[in-house]
Coordinates of all heavy atoms in Angstrom, one line a residue:
S172 N -137.7 -234.6 11.8 CA -136.8 -235.7 11.5 C -137.3 -237.0 12.2 O -138.0 -237.0 13.2 CB -135.4 -235.5 12.1 OG -134.8 -234.4 11.4
I173 N -137.0 -238.2 11.6 CA -137.5 -239.4 12.1 C -136.8 -239.8 13.4 O -137.3 -240.8 14.0 CB -137.4 -240.6 11.0 CG1 -136.0 -240.8 10.5 CG2 -138.4 -240.3 9.9 CD1 -135.8 -241.9 9.6
D174 N -135.8 -239.2 13.8 CA -135.2 -239.5 15.1 C -135.7 -238.5 16.2 O -135.1 -238.5 17.3 CB -133.7 -239.5 15.1 CG -133.1 -238.1 14.9 OD1 -133.8 -237.2 14.4 OD2 -131.9 -237.9 15.2
Y175 N -136.7 -237.7 15.9 CA -137.2 -236.8 16.9 C -138.3 -237.4 17.7 O -139.1 -236.7 18.4 CB -137.8 -235.5 16.2 CG -136.8 -234.4 15.9 CD1 -135.4 -234.7 15.8 CD2 -137.2 -233.1 15.8 CE1 -134.5 -233.7 15.6 CE2 -136.3 -232.1 15.6 CZ -134.9 -232.4 15.5 OH -134.0 -231.4 15.3
G176 N -138.3 -238.7 17.7 CA -139.3 -239.4 18.6 C -139.2 -240.9 18.2 O -138.3 -241.3 17.5
C177 N -140.1 -241.6 18.8 CA -140.0 -243.1 18.7 C -140.9 -243.5 17.5 O -141.8 -242.8 17.1 CB -140.4 -243.8 20.0 SG -142.1 -243.4 20.5
T178 N -140.6 -244.7 17.0 CA -141.4 -245.4 16.0 C -141.5 -246.9 16.4 O -140.8 -247.3 17.3 CB -140.9 -245.3 14.6 OG1 -139.7 -246.0 14.5 CG2 -140.6 -243.8 14.2
D179 N -142.2 -247.6 15.6 CA -142.2 -249.1 15.9 C -141.2 -249.8 15.1 O -141.1 -251.1 15.1 CB -143.6 -249.7 15.6 CG -144.6 -249.4 16.8 OD1 -144.1 -249.0 17.9 OD2 -145.8 -249.5 16.5
T180 N -140.5 -249.1 14.2 CA -139.6 -249.8 13.3 C -138.2 -249.1 13.3 O -137.5 -249.1 12.3 CB -140.1 -249.7 11.9 OG1 -140.5 -248.4 11.6 CG2 -141.3 -250.6 11.7
A181 N -137.8 -248.6 14.5 CA -136.5 -248.0 14.6 C -135.3 -248.9 14.2 O -135.3 -250.1 14.6 CB -136.3 -247.4 16.0
M182 N -134.4 -248.4 13.5 CA -133.2 -249.1 13.0 C -133.5 -250.2 12.0 O -132.6 -250.9 11.7 CB -132.4 -249.6 14.2 CG -131.7 -248.6 15.1 SD -130.9 -247.3 14.1 CE -129.7 -248.1 13.2
G183 N -134.7 -250.2 11.5 CA -135.0 -251.1 10.5 C -135.3 -252.5 10.8 O -136.2 -253.1 10.3
A184 N -134.6 -253.1 11.8 CA -134.9 -254.5 12.2 C -133.5 -255.0 12.7 O -132.5 -254.4 12.6 CB -135.4 -255.4 11.1
P185 N -133.5 -256.2 13.4 CA -132.2 -256.7 13.9 C -131.1 -256.9 12.9 O -130.0 -257.0 13.3 CB -132.6 -258.0 14.5 CG -134.1 -257.9 14.8 CD -134.6 -257.0 13.7
D186 N -131.4 -256.9 11.6 CA -130.4 -257.1 10.6 C -129.4 -255.9 10.6 O -128.3 -256.0 10.0 CB -130.9 -257.2 9.2 CG -131.4 -255.9 8.6 OD1 -132.4 -255.4 9.0 OD2 -130.6 -255.4 7.8
S187 N -129.7 -254.8 11.3 CA -128.8 -253.7 11.3 C -127.6 -253.9 12.1 O -126.6 -253.2 12.0 CB -129.6 -252.4 11.9 OG -129.8 -252.6 13.3
G188 N -127.6 -254.9 13.0 CA -126.5 -255.2 13.9 C -126.4 -254.2 15.1 O -125.5 -254.2 15.8
C189 N -127.5 -253.4 15.3 CA -127.5 -252.5 16.4 C -128.1 -253.3 17.6 O -129.2 -253.8 17.6 CB -128.4 -251.3 16.1 SG -128.6 -250.2 17.4
L190 N -127.3 -253.3 18.7 CA -127.7 -254.2 19.8 C -128.9 -253.6 20.5 O -129.6 -254.4 21.2 CB -126.5 -254.3 20.8 CG -125.2 -255.0 20.2 CD1 -124.1 -255.0 21.2 CD2 -125.5 -256.4 19.7
H191 N -129.1 -252.3 20.4 CA -130.1 -251.7 21.2 C -131.2 -251.0 20.4 O -131.8 -250.1 20.8 CB -129.5 -250.7 22.2 CG -128.3 -251.2 22.9 ND1 -128.5 -252.1 23.9 CD2 -127.0 -251.0 22.8 CE1 -127.3 -252.5 24.5 NE2 -126.4 -251.8 23.8
W192 N -131.5 -251.6 19.2 CA -132.4 -250.9 18.3 C -133.8 -250.9 18.9 O -134.6 -250.0 18.6 CB -132.5 -251.6 17.0 CG -133.0 -253.0 17.0 CD1 -132.4 -254.1 17.3 CD2 -134.4 -253.4 16.6 NE1 -133.2 -255.2 17.2 CE2 -134.4 -254.8 16.7 CE3 -135.5 -252.7 16.1 CZ2 -135.6 -255.5 16.5 CZ3 -136.6 -253.4 15.9 CH2 -136.7 -254.8 16.0
E193 N -134.1 -251.8 19.9 CA -135.4 -251.8 20.5 C -135.7 -250.5 21.3 O -136.8 -250.1 21.6 CB -135.6 -253.0 21.5 CG -135.8 -254.3 20.7 CD -137.2 -254.5 20.3 OE1 -138.1 -253.7 20.7 OE2 -137.5 -255.6 19.7
H194 N -134.6 -249.8 21.7 CA -134.8 -248.6 22.5 C -135.4 -247.5 21.9 O -135.8 -246.5 22.5 CB -133.4 -248.2 23.1 CG -132.8 -249.2 24.1 ND1 -131.6 -249.0 24.7 CD2 -133.4 -250.3 24.6 CE1 -131.4 -250.0 25.5 NE2 -132.4 -250.8 25.5
D195 N -135.5 -247.5 20.5 CA -136.2 -246.4 19.8 C -137.6 -246.8 19.5 O -138.3 -246.1 18.8 CB -135.5 -246.1 18.5 CG -134.3 -245.2 18.8 OD1 -134.4 -244.3 19.7 OD2 -133.3 -245.3 18.1

Side-chain angles (χ1 to χ4, degrees):
S172 298
I173 56 175
D174 71 337
Y175 271 25
C177 59
T178 69
D179 283 344
T180 49
M182 292 314 302
D186 77 282
S187 69
C189 176
L190 298 178
H191 309 290
W192 69 279
E193 288 277 356
H194 290 176
D195 279 324

